[in-house]
Amino acid sequence: MVSQPGVLAVRYKSATFVSWAYTEVSTDMPKRKTYAQPRVIRYESEAGYPDWTRGIVLSLRQELEAPQFEVKPQYVTVVDSDRKYVEVSDSFCQLVGYQREELVGMRYDDLTAPNTNDVPTVFGLFQKLGYMHGMWMLVSREGTRILVRYESWIRPDSYIAGHMEVVGAGY
């Protein structure tokens, strides 16, 4: 073993502290590690792959071919051009605390939290674009504010379909 001294000097405020450190290095240890070229095997086709490699490639292909994002909406609504509900999902009824019979015919303006959205302006923009997504603040029957992420589009029958998921509640 060979000792190699090192000095560490630390200055703190007006005092200087000096510390001696020793590192021990084995004399049998070579100075440098030998470098081995990486081994690369090239195959003309996948048929030449070993079985374990073929299995990995197959499973990766299957994962890549599977749909990456399949989002199923939690809450679904359909409104007409007067912004009145035509269809609503059971989960949406539970979310806002109304029965389906009460919601059908009600305008979605009535479920929009006060002072959060300019409904006529947003609706006019939506009619021009035919598609929108974003955040919307609803209010339940009890007055609880519910923040939802929505995606809406105009269907071929001119109704507007809306899919929502809750982001937060109780504001």
Side-chain angles (χ1 to χ4, degrees):
M1 294 280 194
V2 176
S3 293
Q4 297 177 343
V7 177
L8 173 66
V10 178
R11 184 162 180 84
Y12 180 73
K13 294 191 180 181
S14 61
T16 301
F17 301 97
V18 177
S19 174
W20 291 89
Y22 289 91
T23 305
E24 293 189 353
V25 179
S26 170
T27 53
D28 337 352
M29 194 167 100
K31 296 288 181 194
R32 298 181 99 184
K33 273 185 153 180
T34 56
Y35 176 74
Q37 277 291 100
R39 195 168 157 228
V40 177
I41 301 172
R42 298 187 193 274
Y43 295 99
E44 292 297 319
S45 71
E46 289 180 19
Y49 289 175
D51 289 338
W52 63 272
T53 306
R54 225 175 294 132
I56 292 170
V57 170
L58 179 64
S59 66
L60 286 172
R61 280 211 177 103
Q62 288 170 345
E63 284 182 37
L64 290 172
E65 289 172 2
Q68 296 297 312
F69 302 100
E70 201 171 308
V71 179
K72 297 197 176 167
Q74 292 179 318
Y75 309 99
V76 178
T77 61
V78 177
V79 297
D80 62 14
S81 59
D82 293 325
R83 302 190 301 260
K84 292 183 180 177
Y85 291 107
V86 177
E87 298 173 32
V88 289
S89 66
D90 292 337
S91 57
F92 185 75
C93 294
Q94 291 173 351
L95 177 69
V96 295
Y98 288 92
Q99 297 294 317
R100 176 176 280 106
E101 298 77 28
E102 296 174 290
L103 284 174
V104 172
M106 183 185 286
R107 295 181 83 188
Y108 75 73
D109 307 37
D110 300 330
L111 290 181
T112 298
N115 304 318
T116 59
N117 292 303
D118 182 1
V119 178
T121 302
V122 173
F123 190 73
L125 182 61
F126 173 75
Q127 285 181 318
K128 287 180 189 173
L129 299 173
Y131 171 85
M132 286 185 86
H133 67 273
M135 307 287 251
W136 199 264
M137 185 74 77
L138 299 172
V139 64
S140 72
R141 173 179 279 220
E142 294 80 30
T144 304
R145 290 173 173 243
I146 306 161
L147 182 63
V148 295
R149 180 179 302 126
Y150 75 92
E151 179 178 28
S152 297
W153 59 92
I154 297 178
R155 299 186 333 184
D157 60 3
S158 298
Y159 286 136
I160 299 165
H163 291 181
M164 294 167 265
E165 64 182 358
V166 172
V167 175
Y171 299 102

